[in-house]
């Protein structure tokens, strides 16, 4: 599985590092220049990153960044590429991007995570998946490198709905 990772803030860097340590064919990209661990490949552009990846994980800072980056990524991607949103964004954003992904012949699922940088560094996040079962099966090995457990809530947007419930309880 060829994996792309977009968004190298503190959480994203910890998660991408876990994927690298697990031996995945990984390439990363960030909106601003970042120093990455030795051996981590950085794509020269977003188009380069998504053009040959099977799965692209993202964890961006807010809905505006998520919309802007995904709108570009979908247009660059090969048919069948799976995009996995791991940030906490509005449900409307998930639904909008899911529709846009379908128009481009790619898939988009929401798998936000529960946890902070410490658990991310240790691969101990909790993943709340809003994804078809067959998609989740396909990407589960990568999720296992980053998360202690994955809970499937249903199809697209249900993972994000659960994340908002978790956040409201906290």
């Amino acid at each position: 599985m060829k994996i792309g990772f977009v968004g190298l803030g503190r959480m994203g860097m910890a998660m991408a590092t876990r994927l690298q340590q697990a031996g995945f064919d990984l390439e990363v990209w960030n909106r601003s220049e970042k120093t990455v661990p030795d051996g981590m490949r950085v794509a020269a552009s977003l188009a380069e990153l998504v053009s040959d990846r099977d799965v692209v994980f993202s964890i961006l800072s807010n809905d505006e960044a998520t919309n802007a980056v995904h709108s570009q990524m979908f247009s660059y991607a090969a048919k069948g590429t799976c995009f996995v949103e791991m940030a906490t964004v509005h449900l409307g954003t998930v639904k909008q991007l899911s529709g846009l992904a379908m128009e481009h012949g790619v898939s988009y699922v929401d798998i936000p995570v529960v946890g902070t940088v410490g658990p991310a560094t240790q691969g101990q996040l909790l993943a709340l998946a809003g994804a078809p079962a067959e998609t989740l099966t396909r990407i589960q090995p990568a999720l296992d490198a980053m998360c202690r457990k994955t809970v499937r809530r249903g199809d697209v947007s249900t993972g994000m709905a659960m994340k908002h419930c978790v956040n409201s309880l906290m």
Side-chain angles (χ1 to χ4, degrees):
M1 176 174 16
K2 295 170 86 175
I3 297 175
F5 202 99
V6 174
L8 299 175
R10 292 174 5 138
M11 286 290 287
M13 186 65 79
M15 295 162 77
T17 300
R18 294 287 308 173
L19 291 167
Q20 180 188 27
Q21 291 169 344
F24 286 98
D25 179 350
L26 176 70
E27 191 169 33
V28 300
W29 182 86
N30 197 63
R31 292 181 302 151
S32 60
E33 192 172 317
K34 288 278 186 176
T35 301
V36 299
D38 287 342
M40 189 175 283
R41 290 189 329 260
V42 179
S45 68
L46 191 55
E48 178 186 301
L49 175 77
V50 301
S51 65
D52 74 337
R53 299 285 111 184
D54 303 308
V55 179
V56 178
F57 291 94
S58 63
I59 186 163
L60 295 158
S61 59
N62 57 44
D63 288 77
E64 184 180 332
T66 300
N67 274 320
V69 171
H70 279 81
S71 297
Q72 293 176 52
M73 285 196 297
F74 295 161
S75 64
Y76 301 140
K79 300 280 187 240
T81 303
C82 178
F83 290 89
V84 181
E85 183 58 57
M86 301 191 86
T88 304
V89 296
H90 293 104
L91 285 173
T93 298
V94 171
K95 291 175 182 176
Q96 175 189 349
L97 289 174
S98 176
L100 186 59
M102 283 194 300
E103 290 174 18
H104 284 90
V106 299
S107 64
Y108 176 84
V109 298
D110 58 301
I111 306 182
V113 293
V114 178
T116 59
V117 176
T121 301
Q122 299 167 3
Q124 294 296 305
L125 297 168
L126 171 64
L128 303 174
E134 61 275 4
T135 302
L136 192 55
T137 298
R138 176 180 162 205
I139 65 173
Q140 191 64 57
L143 291 172
D144 288 346
M146 299 181 283
C147 304
R148 65 179 163 79
K149 184 174 183 176
T150 301
V151 177
R152 181 175 176 266
R153 300 308 314 152
D155 286 334
V156 176
S157 82
T158 59
M160 198 64 67
M162 181 57 69
K163 177 65 186 283
H164 287 285
C165 290
V166 169
N167 283 359
S168 71
L169 291 173
M170 298 170 107

